[in-house]
């Protein structure tokens, strides 16, 4: 049993960018890669809570806009040498419609 929240169509999310979804668990950034893969992470950098949704997406990573930490979109791990993990959320895509679940994957 999980609650899926509709985010919109894949096209509604800027490529190499993100769209923010307000939820009961705070803001979640829904990211789109160049290959149209979609990932959802809490919109809070594990460093000092920078808004990851305003970062630059490259490959399967996003660079935090505040101090340039790199975060893996798949799973939320911070790329070394920095350390930490952003909460990640399951993503479902049906007919180009994107939904996320608030049940954290990790
Ligand atoms: S708040 Fe993200 S790198 Fe510092």
């Amino acid at each position: 049993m999980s609650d899926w929240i509709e985010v919109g169509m894949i096209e509604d999310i800027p490529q190499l960018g993100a769209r923010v979804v307000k939820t009961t668990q705070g803001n979640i950034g829904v990211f789109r890669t160049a290959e149209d893969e979609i990932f959802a992470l809490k919109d809070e950098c594990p460093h000092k809570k920078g808004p990851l949704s305003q970062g630059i997406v490259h490959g399967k990573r996003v660079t935090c806009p505040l101090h340039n930490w790199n975060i893996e979109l798949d799973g939320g791990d911070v790329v070394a040498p920095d350390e930490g993990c952003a909460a990640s959320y399951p993503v479902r895509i049906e007919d180009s419609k994107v939904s996320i679940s608030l049940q954290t994957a990790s």
Side-chain angles (χ1 to χ4, degrees):
M1 290 228 309
S2 55
D3 298 326
W4 291 92
I5 299 173
E6 274 197 25
V7 174
M9 308 299 282
I10 290 181
E11 304 79 59
D12 296 336
I13 303 167
Q15 216 168 25
L16 300 181
R19 142 170 224 169
V20 178
V21 182
K22 293 185 193 305
T23 77
T24 52
Q25 294 188 18
N27 288 354
I28 294 176
V30 182
F31 298 83
R32 177 178 171 193
T33 69
E35 285 79 37
D36 290 338
E37 291 172 292
I38 308 292
F39 297 97
L41 293 180
K42 191 169 178 71
D43 193 17
E44 235 176 46
C45 178
H47 181 216
K48 292 193 174 168
K49 303 191 174 180
L52 294 179
S53 60
Q54 291 175 32
I56 306 275
V57 173
H58 48 101
K60 285 195 199 179
R61 293 175 174 171
V62 60
T63 300
C64 177
L66 292 198
H67 317 96
N68 297 327
W69 279 25
N70 288 304
I71 321 287
E72 299 280 6
L73 292 174
D74 192 359
D77 284 332
V78 172
V79 177
D82 303 308
E83 292 178 1
C85 188
S88 68
Y89 299 87
V91 173
R92 185 174 71 182
I93 299 172
E94 285 173 332
D95 298 331
S96 298
K97 251 188 255 159
V98 181
S99 307
I100 59 172
S101 167
L102 291 187
Q103 299 195 334
T104 44
S106 49

